[in-house]
Each structure stands twice: as C-alpha cells, then as structure tokens.
Amino acid sequence: MLTLGINYGSHDSAAAIAQDGQILFAIAEERLSHKKHDGAFPAHAIRASLAHVGAKVADLDEVAFGWQPPSAARFADLRNFISGAHPMRWRSVLRDHSIRWLEEYRSDGERLFRRHFGPPRNGFKRVDHHYAHAMSAYAVSGFDEATVVVVDGRGAWEATSIWHGKGTELRLVEMFPWPNSIGLFYAQFTAWLGFEKFSDEWKVMGLAPYGGPGVDLAKFINVSDGGYSVNSRLLLDSRNGSDLSLVEEAIGPARKPDEPLSDLHRDVAWAVQDACERAEIAVINRAVSLVGSRNLCLAGGVALNSKANGLFLSRNLVDRIFIQPAAADDGVAIGAALAAPLAAGLRSREMSKAYLGPQSSPEEIEAALRTYKLCYRMLEDPAETAADLLAKGQLIGWYQGREEFGPRALGNRSILADPRDVRNRDRVNNAVKFREEWRPFAPSVLEEAGPSLFEHYHTTPFMTLTFQVRPEKKKDIAAAVHVDGSARVQSVTREQNQRYYDLIKHFAAKTGVPSVLNTSFNLKGETIVNSPFDAIRTFYTSGLDGLILDRYLIAKKPTDIN
Ligand SMILES: [Fe+2]
C-alpha cells in the first residue's frame, strides 16, 4: 500500500510517502522553496517524495491531507463568534467569511494537486488535523499502547486533544476546542515580545531563564488540576486594529522587534514558559488518568517545547515518552500517510531516526566542487578529521547523508563546534548564525555518556528533551549549557548515525568530552541548507572555518586543507 500524506492549509507545508506503513521519505516545502515555514501548496515536496520511490501519482493507493476541508475552520470560527468564544466584530466576520470563501477556492489543495499532478486513482482523503498529529507520534512510537496528547495552536476546531492508542486503534478521548489553546496563549505573548508568532516560540523558551517570577498572567490562562482554560477574549480582542490590545493594556506596550530586551520582557518570557509548563503538566496528568497508560506520545507545535518535555520525565508523570521530531504541522504529512495503513492493520516500525529527507549523490557533490573551483581534498575518515578540527577550535559545517525531517539538525545538516570553550557560543552566534547572544546551543552526546553528563537523563535522539547538566560536568560542555544550567540534548547511537557517532567518539578520545556543540546549518532567517550549493554559499558568507561535504574537506585558504 503506497500512501502519500500532505500537510497543506496553514504553515510548514510538507509531504511524506509510506509503503505499507513505513515512512520512506518526508520533506517540508521550505527546504526546497527556501521560504521559512512555507505554507504554499507543497508541489516541490510531493514531487521529491514521488521521485524518491520512483512512483507516479497513478501508483498511489491513497493521497491524504492532514486537515479537514478548509470550510471546517470557517464554520468553527462562525460557531465561536456566535457563542462569544472568539471576540470579533460583525463587519469583520462577514468580510472574513466572504474573503475566506474565495480564498478557499483559490488555494484548494485538491484542485492544486490535480493541476500539478493529475487526479489520484482513488480520490482524496481528509484526515482530521489532530488525528493526523496524534497518528504521527503514536504510529511510529513503537508502543503497543500509549496515552497520546496533541498540543498545538489550532486545528480546524481543535486546540489540545487526548487520545488512546492501542494496537492498530487510535481513539479520541477528550478535546479542548479552539480557541482554548496553549499554543495561542504562547503565540500571542511571542508576538508581544517582538518575535514572530507560530515561528519564534523557541526564542521565548530560550529567553525565559533570564527572567523570573513577578509578572502575573493568571487573567490570560488559568491552570487547574483537571486542565487549563485560556482567556481567548483577552488574547484575541482586536480593538484598535491590534489583537494584542488587551495584552498591552494589562502588561504594557508590545516590544518592537529591534528594541533592546528589558527586565519586564525577560520576566514575561519566564511567566509564559512557566504557565505553559503548568498547563501541559495538568493536561498530561489528566490524559494519563483517563487513558491509563504511562507511555506518552506527544505531537503538535507545543510539543517542541523541550524545556516542558524534560519535566514530564523528571517529575515522573510518565515512564516512557515518544515525541514526533516533526511535532509542528510538517509532521502532519506523516500522520496523514500512516492513517490508511494503520486502519488496514499495518503497524509502522519505531521511528528511531529522523533522516527521512533527500541525500546528495557523490556526483552532485563533486560537480559542485568542480563548478565553484574550490580548495578541497578527499578525506580518508571524515569523522576523525572533523573531530581533529573541532578539538583545534575550528567551527565547521557538516553536510552528510540524508536530511533531517523536522526543525532540528541532528548531525547531517549541522554546524559543529568544541563545546568546552564557552567563547564558541559567541563565535557561532556572531560569526556564523548572526543571531541574538542569549540563544542557547545544544550538545550532541554519545548515548552511553548521557547519564554521566545530565540529571534525569533519558534517550533523546531528536533533541526534544531538556535536562539539567550535572554541576561537575558544566565546564565540559560550557558552550552548550543554558543560563539556568540546562541543555537541550541530542543523544546519538551508532545505529542512528554511524558517521556522526564516530565523530563524537573521536572527539571524546582526543579531549575526554563525549559531546559536540550542534546547531542547524543555516544563517539567521534562512532555511537549513538542502544542497551542496546551499552549504557552500553558507560557508563562504559566514565565519565558518571549514566545511565537510560528505567525504570532502573544503577550506577558505589552500593551506588549511592539509
Ligand atoms: Fe497543528
């Protein structure tokens, strides 16, 4: 059974293709269009998925969208307006309703699919958005039974949902409808802090530990034992043309994007993160008590909040956890592709790695080296050379194998540095990433070394969990420890990524530290590199010292490659 899953309808458009319930390939449209969080119809991603398996549209048994029809959201909004859950004015409702009706026709995914690829053999299937999120985690979790929780901004009508996965069944247990949304709460304060909502939430997470208690957000979100309640009337009121007007009335004017950060901004970030953690903990406690399984699967954009995720284990809410690495809407493509196979009794294998994207062939890489007349040499052992360069203090671009699916670079499209030297954090921020100095970097660690470096350690192959660093080990990974002593960790095994594992192993042999600093291979505001050309361009427009493209070392000066 060959199935194609598509996310199209908001942001992070993506496609995934599965054979008998095993995901063979997945990619977000942004990697091919180079537009961050691209929400356009994912024609490039679909084409790449079909090409990877050598299939035509006629070969597909199912084409599934991870969204309800667009009109579902429009009618949910109308219901919320009538019930008063979503504050809107009559005029804007009527205008919005008619504009969206036209927009729905113009951007109709089924129509666009037919235009690009022709009609699919068996028509189209629509999978409810949260069902697709839940499926994207449960189906590939390896658990026979699990409590499944989806926390995101919004689906057509959903905001948070609790599911029970058992065998090949995935059943809805409870739903918190939009706009009672933790994602909405986080997004509105992300915007108030001068960042882009539904995109830069992790900047707020990074900023939070610089602040502390002092700002009371209880009027915006109320957390109780049984769950949470978001005051959408305050968060969405659009008087004065701004949907932040009542937030500004309560805590002050919103920060302009380039304005310096104040203590108030830092304390608001702290309060937002704290409320999000408490709300998620309440939901997960409720979910576990309703479902009865202490295996937890998580998906939805809020599930990328690694700081909150780390607490679910350290506070013993659950025994085991699987978080879909593409937890935001890109991962919905996986859920949509797996819905039909699971219904047919085809369970997926556990997703132990996220390298589901394209791979550059040796010919492509060699052609790029020749075309741009670069100084390069072929390496006997790229892992060992990389470890050598890192130990000498170099910052390197590392481009290997298949691209990661999801927002994190996990050692195939990464920028790497020696984590021991705290100055490397500033060097990467200032000379390579051109980003804010307070943003943390992550350590990649050998799986077997995890417990010796971190408290409450748990395997985290997709960099979705944050732990406290053991105090005596902070100096070993000083550049990857956040201001509150935590680190967002990627655990690496040889089975997951042989060359990356060997690199860290060589680095450990040279330095005694079984970890490297890892950040995504891109410049500020750009998407992660997707081709040798992207990697070379980023290398030459940044302060990177070296670039290892598969087996080739590229340097800016001929003397640096020997
Ligand atoms: Fe979503």
Side-chain angles (χ1 to χ4, degrees):
M1 178 187 273
L2 191 65
T3 51
L4 177 74
I6 298 170
N7 175 53
Y8 170 60
S10 59
H11 43 80
D12 298 303
S13 295
I17 198 158
Q19 176 78 56
D20 298 332
Q22 311 305 332
I23 295 288
L24 302 177
F25 184 90
I27 189 166
E29 185 73 1
E30 66 155 37
R31 303 295 170 89
L32 300 163
S33 68
H34 295 97
K35 293 179 193 150
K36 271 193 123 177
H37 302 293
D38 195 350
F41 181 75
H44 297 101
I46 293 169
R47 205 165 283 123
S49 302
L50 291 169
H52 182 84
V53 297
K56 297 186 288 296
V57 168
D59 302 325
L60 295 169
D61 294 293
E62 177 157 291
V63 177
F65 287 87
W67 279 91
Q68 298 91 330
S71 57
R74 190 159 44 92
F75 284 109
D77 286 350
L78 208 52
R79 271 197 305 276
N80 285 327
F81 166 66
I82 292 163
S83 71
H86 190 153
M88 284 187 275
R89 317 219 176 282
W90 269 110
R91 200 186 304 166
S92 60
V93 171
L94 289 172
R95 194 190 53 217
D96 190 46
H97 210 68
S98 49
I99 290 172
R100 278 167 72 180
W101 187 80
L102 286 170
E103 180 61 18
E104 277 162 25
Y105 173 76
R106 201 183 63 78
S107 61
D108 176 54
E110 296 176 18
R111 195 175 64 83
L112 292 171
F113 187 100
R114 279 191 294 267
R115 200 172 83 194
H116 284 281
F117 303 103
R121 189 153 45 94
N122 297 318
F124 296 99
K125 186 170 170 195
R126 291 278 177 179
V127 179
D128 284 359
H129 187 62
H130 270 220
Y131 184 73
H133 268 308
M135 182 67 72
S136 77
Y138 174 66
V140 296
S141 66
F143 297 144
D144 292 327
E145 184 170 16
T147 299
V148 185
V149 175
V150 178
V151 193
D152 75 349
R154 74 170 291 183
W157 53 72
E158 320 97 318
T160 296
S161 56
I162 295 170
W163 304 75
H164 183 184
K166 190 170 185 185
T168 54
E169 302 251 304
L170 181 61
R171 181 177 61 83
L172 178 67
V173 174
E174 194 167 90
M175 198 248 291
F176 294 62
W178 166 263
N180 186 16
S181 163
I182 300 174
L184 166 70
F185 164 78
Y186 215 104
Q188 292 302 83
F189 283 97
T190 299
W192 184 87
L193 282 162
F195 305 125
E196 198 176 324
K197 64 179 171 182
F198 301 122
S199 170
D200 291 344
E201 276 71 4
W202 48 286
K203 292 187 183 177
V204 180
M205 183 178 80
L207 185 61
Y210 289 90
V215 174
D216 184 7
L217 299 179
K219 65 158 74 168
F220 296 102
I221 187 167
N222 181 270
V223 180
S224 62
D225 267 356
Y228 70 90
S229 171
V230 162
N231 191 333
S232 53
R233 287 163 173 273
L234 289 184
L235 287 170
L236 288 171
D237 190 285
S238 59
R239 69 188 66 173
N240 309 327
S242 157
D243 63 359
L244 292 176
S245 54
L246 294 184
V247 178
E248 291 188 298
E249 216 172 278
I251 57 172
R255 173 180 171 262
K256 309 250 179 323
D258 293 323
E259 193 183 322
L261 287 160
S262 69
D263 286 344
L264 175 66
H265 299 136
R266 288 184 270 269
D267 289 347
V268 167
W270 187 93
V272 170
Q273 176 67 22
D274 175 65
C276 172
E277 289 169 7
R278 287 186 292 109
E280 278 204 88
I281 285 171
V283 169
I284 288 166
N285 274 330
R286 178 166 179 78
V288 170
S289 74
L290 288 171
V291 173
S293 171
R294 288 178 58 84
N295 296 329
L296 176 67
C297 296
L298 271 183
V302 182
L304 291 173
N305 194 309
S306 56
K307 180 86 193 325
N309 296 343
L311 297 176
F312 309 150
L313 288 163
S314 66
R315 298 203 183 165
N316 213 19
L317 270 60
V318 293
D319 297 331
R320 296 193 295 167
I321 192 166
F322 177 87
I323 302 166
Q324 165 54 241
D329 281 1
D330 45 355
V332 159
I334 284 187
L338 296 181
L342 198 77
L346 297 163
R347 258 327 284 268
S348 313
R349 280 189 297 273
E350 181 181 346
M351 184 173 175
S352 59
K353 39 186 145 178
Y355 310 107
L356 295 171
Q359 175 166 9
S360 304
S361 66
E363 295 75 33
E364 269 177 88
I365 291 172
E366 284 158 20
L369 296 172
R370 284 194 303 271
T371 304
Y372 301 111
K373 301 183 174 63
L374 304 177
C375 311
Y376 67 89
R377 87 179 149 96
M378 194 174 188
L379 301 170
E380 198 127 307
D381 184 346
E384 186 167 19
T385 302
D388 254 338
L389 297 175
L390 293 176
K392 286 178 190 157
Q394 291 204 10
L395 308 179
I396 65 166
W398 177 251
Y399 183 101
Q400 304 288 330
R402 291 185 69 179
E403 188 170 333
E404 301 86 347
F405 183 55
R408 306 282 172 245
L410 300 168
N412 277 2
R413 301 288 184 276
S414 290
I415 287 170
L416 307 177
D418 182 342
R420 296 172 300 168
D421 187 346
V422 74
R423 288 171 302 180
N424 278 342
R425 185 179 53 209
D426 297 334
R427 289 181 65 213
V428 178
N429 269 332
N430 299 334
V432 181
K433 302 279 281 192
F434 308 111
R435 64 179 211 175
E436 301 88 340
E437 74 287 351
W438 45 268
R439 302 251 300 276
F441 289 114
S444 296
V445 303
L446 299 179
E447 163 73 10
E448 58 271 27
S452 68
L453 289 169
F454 307 103
E455 293 169 357
H456 301 289
Y457 177 78
H458 190 276
T459 298
T460 169
F462 309 132
M463 215 186 262
T464 45
L465 298 174
T466 292
F467 311 114
Q468 288 301 116
V469 182
R470 292 191 184 281
E472 70 276 16
K473 296 292 184 182
K474 281 185 186 164
K475 62 175 187 345
D476 288 354
I477 54 168
V481 182
H482 204 14
V483 63
D484 60 353
S486 70
R488 176 163 50 88
V489 181
Q490 177 197 0
S491 53
V492 184
T493 65
R494 201 152 198 266
E495 292 67 44
Q496 283 155 359
N497 191 333
Q498 186 177 332
R499 195 171 274 178
Y500 194 42
Y501 178 90
D502 289 349
L503 185 162
I504 305 172
K505 192 91 177 163
H506 283 302
F507 186 78
K510 288 172 205 302
T511 65
V513 174
S515 170
V516 297
L517 181 153
N518 171 16
T519 186
S520 54
F521 197 165
N522 62 310
L523 303 180
K524 185 182 179 184
E526 295 189 355
T527 53
I528 294 176
V529 297
N530 181 59
S531 66
F533 171 78
D534 291 344
I536 290 164
R537 186 182 59 82
T538 303
F539 175 56
Y540 279 102
T541 50
S542 71
L544 281 171
D545 299 303
L547 167 62
I548 298 183
L549 267 183
D550 191 24
R551 299 186 68 84
Y552 296 95
L553 171 66
I554 301 162
K556 288 173 181 163
K557 289 183 287 188
T559 47
D560 287 348
I561 56 167
N562 298 309

